[in-house]
Amino acid sequence: MIKFLDLQAITMRHGDEIKAAVNRVIESGWFLQGNENKQFETNYAKYIGTESCVTVANGLDALKLILRGYKEMGVMQDGDEIIVPANTYIATILAITDNNLIPVLVEPTWDHLEINIDAIEKHITFKTKGVMIVHLYGRIAYNNKLGQICKKYDLKLIEDCAQSHGCAWHGVRTGALGDAAAHSFYPGKNLGALGDAGAVTTNDSKLAEIIRALANYGSHKKYVFKYVGINSRMAEIDAAVLNVKLKYLDEDNAQRQKLADYYYTHINNRLLILPTRIKDEYNVYHQFPVFCERRNELQEYLKKNGVQTLIHYPIPPHKQECYKAWNSRTYPITEMIHQQELSIPMNQVLTRPEAEIVVDVLNSFK
Ligand SMILES: *Cc1c(COP(=O)(O)O)cnc(C)c1O
């Protein structure tokens, strides 16, 4: 069976170095808010190209804390609207509703799979305070027009970079394109820790300072509490592991890009649609989605022939039970994506012979 994602193989690629880093933390006896986190914040801010990086417990917290930070600053208030793609992982939407803000769902385009930037302006009201884009599947969700819209209407541009570590637009990395960005280091992401971990990157030092306090019980000074905060911190062990793995991120992404090139040149089954390649983007292929009207049958066929796949995602946010009030709405493109999407194996440890099998099985589906 060709695994969709072999986390053991991915970790063991740098196993000795990772184990040494973990050992170093164990022996130091210092497990939170230490040098490893400090180091990672410096390294990751430099990698992304922002002034600040604040480590937190996970990607969802990173998203939530950005919005919470803007509320503390008076930029946003309960009931304000945030424009967001209708096709995203639920966490993006949860972060908005958790802050008593209103997600305004905007359809993606079918060929781009990311929010339709040309449709954003007509959704802007007097309550709109921000646009939260998601660089889904490792693809860019930004263009210059979006930057101009946000400037014109004075909207905060927030990036969900949970799937886009290293992705760039004209040489500027995602995480440095907007006002603030959330990153997830969930083990299965392009840059993954040994458990949950996340970070915020921003050039807004005031926002960074507030988020740092919010994530630490609302305290910026020991035993003094300025905000009603939460506890959201990255373990030193995870920061140590990420300090090792960050060094190899570009190399890993290059491997993914080579595999994507191979897929684009060799998959030729007319029953499948591959995502359009976007000029000017540096795609880091967190996922390689293929689209098929008989998606479930295709998944079964691949499984029978030894290829494991995953669906990202089977049910769109507006059809989820947790957002019952939206269940009767229709977002046709979003729904089509959720009905037809299938993610095939895409990672830095898939071998050439394995890729050949994936392609052969895909091409023999009738
Ligand atoms: C993984 C993911 C998140 C959440 O990150 P966690 O670290 O799992 O909380 C948010 N948004 C998107 C698009 C994701 O893929």
Side-chain angles (χ1 to χ4, degrees):
M1 175 68 88
I2 297 171
K3 283 191 187 167
F4 179 72
L5 187 64
D6 188 343
L7 279 181
Q8 192 193 29
I10 286 173
T11 311
M12 282 310 132
R13 232 154 93 96
H14 306 292
D16 289 342
E17 218 179 326
I18 288 173
K19 284 178 189 167
V22 169
N23 260 333
R24 194 168 67 230
V25 175
I26 293 173
E27 281 166 16
S28 77
W30 196 281
F31 303 124
L32 284 167
Q33 297 177 297
N35 282 333
E36 295 292 350
N37 268 275
K38 232 180 248 149
Q39 266 290 294
F40 182 68
E41 287 181 343
T42 305
N43 294 342
Y44 200 61
K46 187 166 167 230
Y47 179 81
I48 297 296
T50 53
E51 269 166 41
S52 303
C53 170
V54 182
T55 53
V56 297
N58 56 65
L60 174 58
D61 278 1
L63 287 164
K64 279 189 195 174
L65 287 165
I66 289 169
L67 296 172
R68 181 70 200 284
Y70 281 135
K71 287 179 80 180
E72 294 295 345
M73 287 168 83
V75 173
M76 294 174 189
Q77 291 171 19
D78 283 7
D80 282 342
E81 295 170 3
I82 306 292
I83 289 171
V84 67
N87 65 318
T88 181
Y89 182 58
I90 197 78
T92 323
I93 313 282
L94 288 175
I96 298 170
T97 56
D98 183 71
N99 274 290
N100 295 321
L101 298 165
I102 318 259
V104 175
L105 307 183
V106 173
E107 284 257 73
T109 57
W110 173 236
D111 61 338
H112 187 189
L113 307 170
E114 310 291 341
I115 193 165
N116 181 1
I117 289 168
D118 295 329
I120 286 180
E121 226 165 342
K122 67 173 183 243
H123 287 90
I124 296 173
T125 72
F126 287 103
K127 290 202 148 201
T128 311
K129 292 293 161 60
V131 179
M132 192 176 260
I133 53 172
V134 183
H135 305 291
L136 201 68
Y137 306 131
R139 296 161 70 84
I140 196 82
Y142 178 89
N143 66 20
N144 293 338
K145 183 176 175 188
L146 176 62
Q148 285 156 11
I149 292 172
C150 289
K151 263 209 190 78
K152 178 173 169 192
Y153 295 95
D154 196 20
L155 308 177
K156 293 296 178 193
L157 178 57
I158 302 156
E159 298 173 81
D160 180 340
C161 298
Q163 304 193 0
S164 69
H165 313 82
C167 172
W169 171 255
H170 289 278
V172 181
R173 289 232 158 85
T174 60
L177 288 163
D179 295 292
H183 307 255
S184 163
F185 308 110
Y186 172 83
K189 310 289 191 190
N190 284 32
L191 179 61
L194 300 185
D196 280 317
V200 173
T201 56
T202 180
N203 285 320
D204 184 339
S205 54
K206 181 95 202 294
L207 178 70
E209 191 188 313
I210 293 172
I211 290 174
R212 194 179 291 287
L214 283 170
N216 188 35
Y217 306 102
S219 168
H220 59 303
K221 201 169 136 195
K222 204 164 168 99
Y223 302 133
V224 180
F225 302 94
K226 188 166 177 182
Y227 310 104
V228 180
I230 61 170
N231 175 5
S232 182
R233 301 183 294 217
M234 186 194 287
E236 281 286 281
I237 283 184
D238 282 313
V241 170
L242 291 171
N243 278 323
V244 172
K245 289 181 79 178
L246 179 58
K247 291 188 291 182
Y248 303 104
L249 178 59
D250 285 345
E251 195 182 304
D252 290 346
N253 284 339
Q255 284 289 116
R256 287 172 182 266
Q257 287 164 346
K258 270 196 202 141
L259 178 56
D261 284 339
Y262 181 79
Y263 282 156
Y264 272 111
T265 34
H266 292 89
I267 298 172
N268 55 25
N269 188 334
R270 287 210 191 147
L271 297 173
L272 308 179
I273 296 174
L274 305 190
T276 314
R277 300 185 102 170
I278 304 163
K279 209 172 132 272
D280 300 328
E281 81 164 339
Y282 184 85
N283 187 327
V284 294
Y285 297 97
H286 175 59
Q287 303 296 352
F288 194 93
V290 302
F291 296 87
C292 178
E293 280 179 24
R294 289 153 50 212
R295 186 263 318 272
N296 295 350
E297 246 181 278
L298 174 66
Q299 186 176 36
E300 241 343 274
Y301 180 78
L302 284 157
K303 188 176 158 200
K304 245 195 265 153
N305 288 282
V307 179
Q308 210 178 36
T309 57
L310 274 183
I311 296 167
H312 293 98
Y313 300 90
I315 306 170
H318 71 281
K319 294 293 183 194
Q320 296 287 352
E321 201 179 336
C322 61
Y323 292 124
K324 233 183 206 102
W326 309 340
N327 287 178
S328 58
R329 294 190 197 170
T330 48
Y331 296 94
I333 299 168
T334 296
E335 285 158 31
M336 190 155 86
I337 289 172
H338 287 74
Q339 279 155 17
Q340 299 196 12
E341 198 274 349
L342 189 67
S343 301
I344 61 174
M346 167 49 77
N347 55 70
Q348 64 271 43
V349 295
L350 201 83
T351 64
R352 173 70 191 251
E354 285 175 325
E356 282 173 16
I357 294 171
V358 173
V359 167
D360 286 348
V361 179
L362 278 172
N363 286 344
S364 66
F365 177 69
K366 287 194 204 68

